[in-house]
Amino acid sequence: GRASQQSLSHRTAKAAKSTGTPSRAASEGAQGPSGSAEPSIPELTLLEGETLVSAIMKLQSRFDLDGVVYSVRDKSFDINRLNIGDDIEVSEDLMSTESIALNDVLSGFIVSSQGDRSLIITDNSALNASNTVVFDVKPGSVQSNAKRLLSEFGWEMPFKDGWQAQDYPITSSFPIAISRDDPRQAFSELLAEYPIQARLNPSTTT
């Protein structure tokens, strides 16, 4: 992949609500011996109108999650001012397999990686519980982490001219949510705060 410098632009995006009916899916139980449905007790109910921050704290506590990772492309959203859009009954199993619409703009799901379990909050409908992993950005520089991210996909950076942008230091580690199916999305996430653009060539995996 190549990186070149560009001016920062304001990117906005609005994710579609997840398909299906999460509250119904959470409440459907297995068939009992008589063949009749036995509704299961939801592990947690998120209430319409409660703050998103409160709901996230409840999810993290009830399901004993290791962290929360935000992948929100629309920087105009103020997480502290958003609310849950409707009563939602959820379980850990449900959120580990489906993306649950929390309101009109954000969805949430749980991913596991190397023993850590994280809640992903996103406005990107392309991210879901089956294709998303958490990538830990480490102290160093944008370039060093870009090389690490390339290696996650089995790609490499051309030795001589692979980096043509200013490099920026990274002083502390932080997680980002990336799609294992989409290197472009992964680099957009890594470079979101920097005036750098990645040029990826799938034909040469560079």
Side-chain angles (χ1 to χ4, degrees):
R2 291 187 181 183
S4 61
Q5 205 153 353
Q6 67 169 7
S7 59
L8 277 174
S9 60
H10 182 71
R11 295 189 294 269
T12 61
K14 184 175 181 181
K17 296 184 73 171
S18 64
T19 57
T21 308
S23 57
R24 185 191 309 137
S27 60
E28 289 178 348
Q31 295 287 324
S34 63
S36 60
E38 297 179 352
S40 61
I41 299 175
E43 293 188 30
L44 185 63
T45 300
L46 306 179
L47 301 175
E48 178 182 1
E50 78 171 295
T51 66
L52 181 63
V53 171
S54 171
I56 289 172
M57 291 175 64
K58 284 166 59 176
L59 289 167
Q60 191 172 8
S61 175
R62 177 64 63 90
F63 301 147
D64 193 25
L65 302 176
D66 296 291
V68 179
V69 181
Y70 296 89
S71 177
V72 181
R73 299 174 296 176
D74 190 337
K75 303 306 180 184
S76 69
F77 293 151
D78 184 347
I79 299 296
N80 295 313
R81 294 179 177 272
L82 296 179
N83 298 323
I84 296 299
D86 199 358
D87 288 354
I88 309 170
E89 297 174 350
V90 297
S91 67
E92 185 174 353
D93 287 345
L94 177 67
M95 293 198 72
S96 297
T97 56
E98 295 186 24
S99 182
I100 305 302
L102 302 174
N103 51 37
D104 288 338
V105 293
L106 295 178
S107 298
F109 53 88
I110 296 171
V111 298
S112 300
S113 177
Q114 298 179 345
D116 288 338
R117 294 155 55 252
S118 300
L119 174 64
I120 309 298
I121 302 295
T122 185
D123 64 347
N124 186 352
S125 59
L127 293 178
N128 56 59
S130 63
N131 71 6
T132 302
V133 296
V134 175
F135 176 80
D136 289 317
V137 178
K138 296 184 177 181
S141 70
V142 176
Q143 181 179 0
S144 64
N145 280 283
K147 290 180 178 178
R148 290 181 53 241
L149 185 54
L150 277 173
S151 67
E152 288 287 313
F153 292 94
W155 292 28
E156 61 182 19
M157 186 178 295
F159 180 75
K160 291 184 178 180
D161 58 353
W163 189 269
Q164 299 176 355
Q166 178 179 340
D167 201 3
Y168 295 86
I170 294 177
T171 58
S172 59
S173 61
F174 58 91
I176 59 175
I178 64 171
S179 169
R180 61 164 60 94
D181 302 328
D182 189 354
R184 295 184 188 280
Q185 178 277 334
F187 272 87
S188 293
E189 196 73 26
L190 174 64
L191 303 176
E193 303 300 324
Y194 304 97
I196 302 172
Q197 182 181 33
R199 295 199 300 267
L200 304 174
N201 187 345
S203 63
T204 59
T205 62
T206 59

